[in-house]
Amino acid sequence: MLIEGKNICFTYEVGGSSFALQEVDIDIAPGEFVVILGANGSGKSTLVRHFNALLTLQRGELKVARIDVRNEQDVWLLRRLCGMVFQNPDHQFVSSVVEEDIAFGLENYKVPRDVIPERVRSALALVEMNGYEKRSPHTLSGGQKQRVVLAGVLALEPEIIIFDEATAMLDPTGRQEVIKIMQKLHRAGKTIIAITHYVEEAVAADKVILMHQGRVLACGRPQAILTNLELMQVAELIPPLPVRLYYDLQQAGIQLNRCPLTNEELAEAICQFRSNT
Ligand SMILES: Nc1ncnc2c1ncn2[C@@H]1O[C@H](COP(=O)(O)OP(=O)(O)OP(=O)(O)O)[C@@H](O)[C@H]1O
Ligand SMILES: [Mg+2]
């Protein structure tokens, strides 16, 4: 396993009794595309912030690429291994020039100076932002900003990339662009962990982790999690539209042969139903 956690517990007030995480077990394999879903305050951000030691493990065990996250001397290694993109790109820029912003991160991690320009160039190419090197990040659109932030993360060549609601502030086109990049990185063998409130973004995941009140409520294939109405209700989440339609049709006496997750699967199931009757 690339990420292996057992019995992780965490509280923000030291010695306090309200747990942000309770007895969380987690396993993430190399190259997996994992989506974490859960209502506000369910502990999603708290959990992923343990992966690169942004938060200190209080109880339980957690290893990332066999590194114990408690090893203080490995914090920089963990941060480099495990890149993170947050919701608001404006909070993530350090320079007023795109290429300098990306180069700054590399300098921080002591990447040799002579390779930095090439790293910056290829990271910007990955997110399709070449040509914007000299721009100020603040003059870019939200989607473009988020892609520059992502380029900064990718330039460090992380093994794992965590997106904590990275699409939340983007319009549908901007969201699609970021999702496309996530999929491209996944195909290139990166391990992707995405937190989102858009359940449709979980449909293509290898694994969905459902969080509720600081615990992992369920973990499995999207088909198993997203079509389980009871589970979704406990997690205070609304299933994807095709799933809701499937159950509405069932109530109306129309039984499709499989619960669809996407519009395409829904259309296919309806066509099959028609040809069978
Ligand atoms: N810095 C903090 N100080 C104190 N309590 C916090 C802090 N950050 C989060 N919490 C609490 O910890 C719990 C889990 O929060 P967390 O941010 O991990 O949830 P989340 O699932 O990421 O929610 P959201 O979807 O709103 O981002 C919540 O009860 C929250 O109020
Ligand atoms: Mg959060």
Side-chain angles (χ1 to χ4, degrees), residues 88-253:
N88 190 340
D90 286 325
H91 296 162
Q92 300 176 68
F93 294 118
V94 287
S95 164
S96 55
V97 183
V98 164
E99 63 181 4
E100 284 175 13
D101 192 84
I102 298 169
F104 182 79
L106 293 168
E107 285 160 15
N108 245 345
Y109 282 93
K110 309 265 182 293
V111 172
R113 276 189 184 277
D114 53 324
V115 303
I116 288 182
E118 173 51 26
R119 287 274 199 102
V120 172
R121 196 202 58 75
S122 62
L124 282 170
L126 261 173
V127 299
E128 293 169 23
M129 281 297 285
N130 20 16
Y132 290 84
E133 289 80 1
K134 307 286 179 204
R135 285 276 289 270
S136 162
H138 302 287
T139 65
L140 302 174
S141 77
Q144 292 169 334
K145 282 179 189 169
Q146 200 56 299
R147 283 190 278 157
V148 170
V149 170
L150 182 52
V153 168
L154 295 178
L156 292 166
E157 301 181 341
E159 196 75 18
I160 303 163
I161 306 150
I162 301 173
F163 297 81
D164 190 349
E165 292 189 51
T167 62
M169 295 181 73
L170 307 182
D171 70 11
T173 312
R175 266 179 65 204
Q176 269 320 312
E177 284 167 1
V178 172
I179 291 167
K180 243 178 53 195
I181 297 169
M182 281 185 205
Q183 288 166 345
K184 188 159 85 177
L185 293 169
H186 176 228
R187 282 196 300 274
K190 301 283 184 195
T191 303
I192 308 289
I193 302 172
I195 295 177
T196 179
H197 285 289
Y198 296 97
V199 285
E200 316 81 59
E201 289 180 15
V203 165
D206 295 318
K207 182 154 95 192
V208 177
I209 296 173
L210 207 55
M211 294 204 60
H212 179 58
Q213 296 180 349
R215 294 177 186 273
V216 173
L217 181 65
C219 172
R221 293 242 161 228
Q223 182 71 30
I225 305 283
L226 303 174
T227 64
N228 186 329
L229 293 189
E230 224 171 293
L231 213 50
M232 294 295 279
Q233 196 176 11
V234 175
E236 298 163 60
L237 296 175
I238 297 170
L241 182 64
V243 174
R244 284 180 279 145
L245 275 170
Y246 168 85
Y247 287 107
D248 286 349
L249 288 168
Q250 193 177 53
Q251 289 237 308

Side-chain angles (χ1 to χ4, degrees), residues 2 62-71 74-75 77-78 81:
L2 186 58
L62 179 60
K63 283 192 180 148
V64 176
R66 297 210 199 94
I67 301 166
D68 189 325
V69 296
R70 274 175 296 214
N71 290 347
D74 290 330
V75 165
L77 184 60
L78 276 176
L81 202 69

Side-chain angles (χ1 to χ4, degrees), residues 12-31:
Y12 280 96
E13 354 133 35
V14 180
S17 58
S18 81
F19 281 93
L21 292 177
Q22 291 197 67
E23 296 163 7
V24 169
D25 291 347
I26 188 159
D27 278 325
I28 295 176

Side-chain angles (χ1 to χ4, degrees), residues 29-98:
E32 244 183 339
F33 190 152
V34 179
V35 169
I36 306 181
L37 296 175
N40 289 132
S42 57
K44 306 178 296 295
S45 299
T46 306
L47 176 62
V48 300
R49 279 164 205 237
H50 279 82
F51 298 164
N52 60 358
L54 279 179
L55 289 174
T56 309
L57 187 69
Q58 293 172 344
R59 206 193 297 168
E61 284 166 42
L62 179 60
K63 283 192 180 148
V64 176
R66 297 210 199 94
I67 301 166
D68 189 325
V69 296
R70 274 175 296 214
N71 290 347
E72 276 170 31
Q73 70 273 23
D74 290 330
V75 165
W76 287 101
L77 184 60
L78 276 176
R79 299 257 160 98
R80 192 165 166 174
L81 202 69
C82 210
M84 215 166 194
V85 184
F86 299 97
Q87 179 169 0
N88 190 340
D90 286 325
H91 296 162
Q92 300 176 68
F93 294 118
V94 287
S95 164
S96 55
V97 183
V98 164

